[in-house]
């Protein structure tokens, strides 16, 4: 069975990825900072007959991040799908936010994504199969309210685009999942949580379908997709021009 590693797997979109991948026959490595939450998700996957490994890790901590890198680099237990889902979203205006909180956003949303992707790709390329899904956000296309979140998700979009371009003819794929507001299933729901956002299961289904189609960007929800299609048109034009220029050299 192919093995998938999902970060931030204890709830929300990460739990939805774990459930869908388990149903599709993947064995799993599930990572979260909260042991109780990720063990609940792991138990459901084991109930479907999947082999599940749990890693409790804080991706802002060097030793924890290094341990996940080591797991991804383990050629004896290959990971064929990496879902970089873990993310941190702070609140408040930039100048008023504690710098440690800002650094935690950067460490989780950028540094961990870059390092785990880098750890996973060499083995995938050697095997001529595999994929990386980086969870970005519609906020990556918009100016944020001054924190680091929107900027970090803009980086994820650009980073994934760059990585995908480097994987041509390797058999390995990279895709950025641009997510809008999600429904919150927690009970009781946090104050201000959306009850009318995108269904996490539908988001995962769309993402995996787009990955199978060889796309490098997945945007669930027609309203979000309409906006992103317009914003992406200049970039698609430039990428096409670059490919054509490369063929002519």
């Amino acid at each position: 069975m192919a093995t998938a590693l999902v970060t931030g797997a204890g709830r929300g979109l990460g739990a939805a990825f774990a459930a869908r991948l388990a149903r599709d026959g993947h064995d799993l490595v599930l990572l979260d900072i909260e042991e109780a939450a990720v063990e609940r998700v792991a138990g459901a996957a084991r109930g479907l007959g999947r082999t599940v490994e749990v890693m409790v890790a804080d991706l802002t901590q060097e030793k924890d991040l290094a341990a996940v890198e080591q797991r991804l680099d383990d050629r004896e237990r290959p990971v064929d799908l990496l879902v970089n889902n873990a993310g941190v979203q702070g609140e408040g205006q930039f100048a008023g936010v504690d710098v440690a909180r800002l650094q935690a956003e950067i460490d989780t949303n950028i540094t961990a994504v870059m390092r785990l992707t880098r750890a996973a790709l060499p083995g995938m390329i050697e095997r001529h199969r595999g994929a990386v899904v980086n969870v970005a956000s519609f906020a990556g296309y918009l100016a944020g309210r001054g924190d680091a979140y929107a900027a970090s998700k803009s980086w994820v979009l650009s980073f994934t685009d760059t990585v995908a371009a480097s994987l041509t003819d390797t058999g390995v794929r990279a895709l950025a999942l641009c997510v809008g507001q999600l429904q919150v299933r927690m009970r009781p729901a946090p104050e201000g949580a959306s009850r009318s956002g995108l269904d996490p299961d539908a988001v995962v289904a769309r993402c995996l379908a787009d990955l199978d189609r060889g796309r490098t960007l997945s945007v669930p929800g027609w309203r979000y997709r309409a906006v992103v299609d317009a914003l992406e048109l200049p970039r698609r034009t430039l990428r096409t021009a670059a490919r054509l220029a490369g063929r002519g050299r």
Side-chain angles (χ1 to χ4, degrees), residues 202-236:
V203 168
V204 170
R206 173 75 191 213
C207 173
L208 296 177
D210 285 340
L211 185 64
D212 286 342
R213 295 184 185 107
R215 295 177 178 169
T216 59
L217 178 65
S218 179
V219 188
W222 68 266
R223 291 181 178 87
Y224 293 108
R225 198 152 54 244
V227 175
V228 171
D229 282 348
L231 295 173
E232 280 286 320
L233 182 59
R235 296 177 66 185
R236 285 198 298 269

Side-chain angles (χ1 to χ4, degrees), residues 2-249:
T3 297
L5 189 152
V6 182
T7 69
R11 61 180 56 79
L13 196 59
F17 265 109
R20 172 58 188 269
L21 292 168
R23 291 196 301 272
D24 286 351
H26 286 75
D27 291 330
L28 299 171
V29 182
L30 302 181
L31 183 149
D32 200 271
I33 196 171
E34 293 186 17
E35 185 173 8
V38 73
E39 284 289 359
R40 284 194 295 270
V41 176
R46 291 183 182 116
L48 296 173
R50 304 281 75 83
T51 297
V52 184
E53 176 184 349
V54 168
M55 298 186 73
V56 179
D58 179 349
L59 294 176
T60 69
Q61 300 300 309
E62 174 60 31
K63 64 178 179 61
D64 288 3
L65 181 57
V68 185
E69 288 177 304
Q70 185 175 15
R71 178 62 184 86
L72 287 165
D73 190 41
D74 187 341
R75 301 303 205 269
E76 300 300 317
R77 299 181 297 160
V79 170
D80 295 304
L81 174 61
L82 167 63
V83 181
N84 279 314
N85 168 72
V88 176
Q89 181 172 6
E91 297 179 355
Q93 298 292 333
F94 179 79
V97 177
D98 182 78
V99 70
R101 287 176 53 191
L102 294 171
Q103 188 64 57
E105 286 189 63
I106 299 302
D107 290 344
T108 305
N109 300 351
I110 294 180
T111 302
V113 171
M114 181 272 292
R115 286 181 52 174
L116 298 187
T117 300
R118 176 60 181 80
L121 284 179
M124 292 180 180
I125 293 170
E126 286 178 10
R127 297 187 296 274
H128 303 288
R129 70 176 188 273
V132 176
V133 172
N134 292 326
V135 177
S137 170
F138 187 69
Y141 288 101
L142 303 171
R145 289 181 52 82
D147 63 9
Y149 181 77
S152 70
K153 291 303 183 179
S154 179
W155 180 89
V156 171
L157 291 166
S158 181
F159 170 70
T160 307
D161 201 24
T162 300
V163 169
S166 76
L167 296 173
T168 303
D169 298 327
T170 65
V172 182
R173 296 158 291 161
L175 175 143
L177 173 57
C178 181
V179 185
Q181 190 173 44
L182 293 171
Q183 294 174 6
V184 175
R185 294 172 173 174
M186 295 171 61
R187 295 291 182 270
E191 184 178 352
S194 173
R195 300 182 185 278
S196 59
L198 300 171
D199 176 67
D201 294 334
V203 168
V204 170
R206 173 75 191 213
C207 173
L208 296 177
D210 285 340
L211 185 64
D212 286 342
R213 295 184 185 107
R215 295 177 178 169
T216 59
L217 178 65
S218 179
V219 188
W222 68 266
R223 291 181 178 87
Y224 293 108
R225 198 152 54 244
V227 175
V228 171
D229 282 348
L231 295 173
E232 280 286 320
L233 182 59
R235 296 177 66 185
R236 285 198 298 269
T237 302
L238 288 171
R239 284 194 293 265
T240 300
R243 284 196 298 269
L244 292 173
R247 290 172 186 168
R249 288 199 291 268

